[in-house]
Amino acid sequence: DTAVSQTPKYLVTQMGNDKSIKCEQNLGHDTMYWYKQDSKKFLKIMFSYNNKELIINETVPNRFSPKSPDKAHLNLHINSLELGDSAVYFCASSQAGQAHYGYTFGSGTRLTVV
Amino acid sequence: TQLLEQSPQFLSIQEGENLTVYCNSSSVFSSLQWYRQEPGEGPVLLVTVVTGGEVKKLKRLTFQFGDARKDSSLHITAAQPGDTGLYLCAGNTGTASKLTFGTGTRLQVTL
């Protein structure tokens, strides 16, 4: 039973399209995150939600809109996709909103914009 | 902006060798974590260090947090092919649950 699961695993789409990535965790964690990993493997935080409330919103284009219907789900919707959006997107969760407990990551969604 | 620099960036060694990976910053962290990431997977937590000067051992892996809590090292003894992967350090300043990740060290261990 996967702790943090995200779908799809791979996403290939054309520039200008709108796409969504879904994430669910069954760990009972209060906090969920979206990270972007670029081609150099650098992981950068995009958003964080604690109990459905947005608590971190880094400098991300407003074409990216996270949605958390409940504390077990955090989805990422991307409008008007651009070539530069190509990357691997990781969902993660942590306990009690305390990062030092460690994050549990999903296996990633590789987004390729052509 | 907190920046965590890891060195070396790449490391290719033979089975049985020892190695050390470094993670340095000018910022003070309340805790620091090490993760290993394998191709096609997300990072997996190896250890969390919290106290300056702390040393933690996980089988052949030894982790140390600097006295000033600005740096950390990961030492692997007698590396094995199964240790191959991307090693990431990540620091937390205690604010808003945000982890800042390091630049990564790609390790390859060959037979």
Side-chain angles (χ1 to χ4, degrees):
Chain A
D1 202 19
T2 307
V4 179
S5 59
Q6 47 182 116
T7 55
K9 176 80 173 170
Y10 300 97
L11 189 49
V12 181
T13 188
Q14 290 189 322
M15 274 172 44
N17 283 351
D18 303 337
K19 290 293 178 187
S20 292
I21 307 172
K22 295 187 175 182
C23 179
E24 175 182 4
Q25 54 96 3
N26 63 6
L27 298 166
H29 287 168
D30 291 323
T31 308
M32 296 184 72
Y33 312 82
W34 279 109
Y35 273 79
K36 179 179 179 180
Q37 189 170 48
D38 62 23
S39 57
K40 293 184 178 179
K41 303 299 183 185
F42 185 62
L43 266 170
K44 187 170 167 52
I45 191 167
M46 300 172 70
F47 302 103
S48 172
Y49 271 74
N50 182 259
N51 240 331
K52 303 192 297 177
E53 185 181 337
L54 180 67
I55 55 171
I56 295 174
N57 184 351
E58 293 292 290
T59 310
V60 176
N62 58 16
R63 298 182 294 103
F64 290 78
S65 52
K67 281 192 172 54
S68 182
D70 55 62
K71 75 172 194 177
H73 295 84
L74 180 61
N75 304 321
L76 183 65
H77 187 77
I78 315 169
N79 289 326
S80 303
L81 278 154
E82 300 178 357
L83 292 176
D85 297 332
S86 295
V88 182
Y89 292 84
F90 285 98
C91 176
S93 70
S94 71
Q95 186 175 1
Q98 296 298 319
H100 64 256
Y101 282 106
Y103 286 8
T104 302
F105 281 85
S107 58
T109 296
R110 181 176 293 276
L111 171 65
T112 304
V113 183
V114 298
Chain B
T1 303
Q2 303 140 13
L3 190 61
L4 279 162
E5 293 278 356
Q6 287 184 234
S7 61
Q9 232 180 326
F10 301 99
L11 195 51
S12 181
I13 60 171
Q14 290 194 314
E15 184 179 19
E17 291 184 33
N18 301 332
L19 66 115
T20 302
V21 177
Y22 299 93
C23 173
N24 294 294
S25 175
S26 57
S27 301
V28 176
F29 293 98
S30 59
S31 67
L32 195 135
Q33 299 169 358
W34 284 91
Y35 290 78
R36 180 168 67 213
Q37 184 179 12
E38 298 187 21
E41 297 296 327
V44 175
L45 179 68
L46 296 173
V47 78
T48 299
V49 285
V50 177
T51 308
E54 183 177 1
V55 176
K56 277 192 175 177
K57 291 194 175 185
L58 187 68
K59 296 183 182 177
R60 294 176 294 100
L61 278 59
T62 302
F63 304 86
Q64 183 159 10
F65 201 11
D67 291 340
R69 291 185 286 125
K70 292 182 180 182
D71 56 84
S72 181
S73 63
L74 157 60
H75 183 79
I76 301 179
T77 304
Q80 297 176 0
D83 296 325
T84 293
L86 177 69
Y87 287 81
L88 295 161
C89 63
N92 170 234
T93 57
T95 58
S97 315
K98 185 171 116 176
L99 268 187
T100 300
F101 279 82
T103 48
T105 295
R106 195 187 298 274
L107 171 66
Q108 173 141 19
V109 183
T110 54
L111 293 169

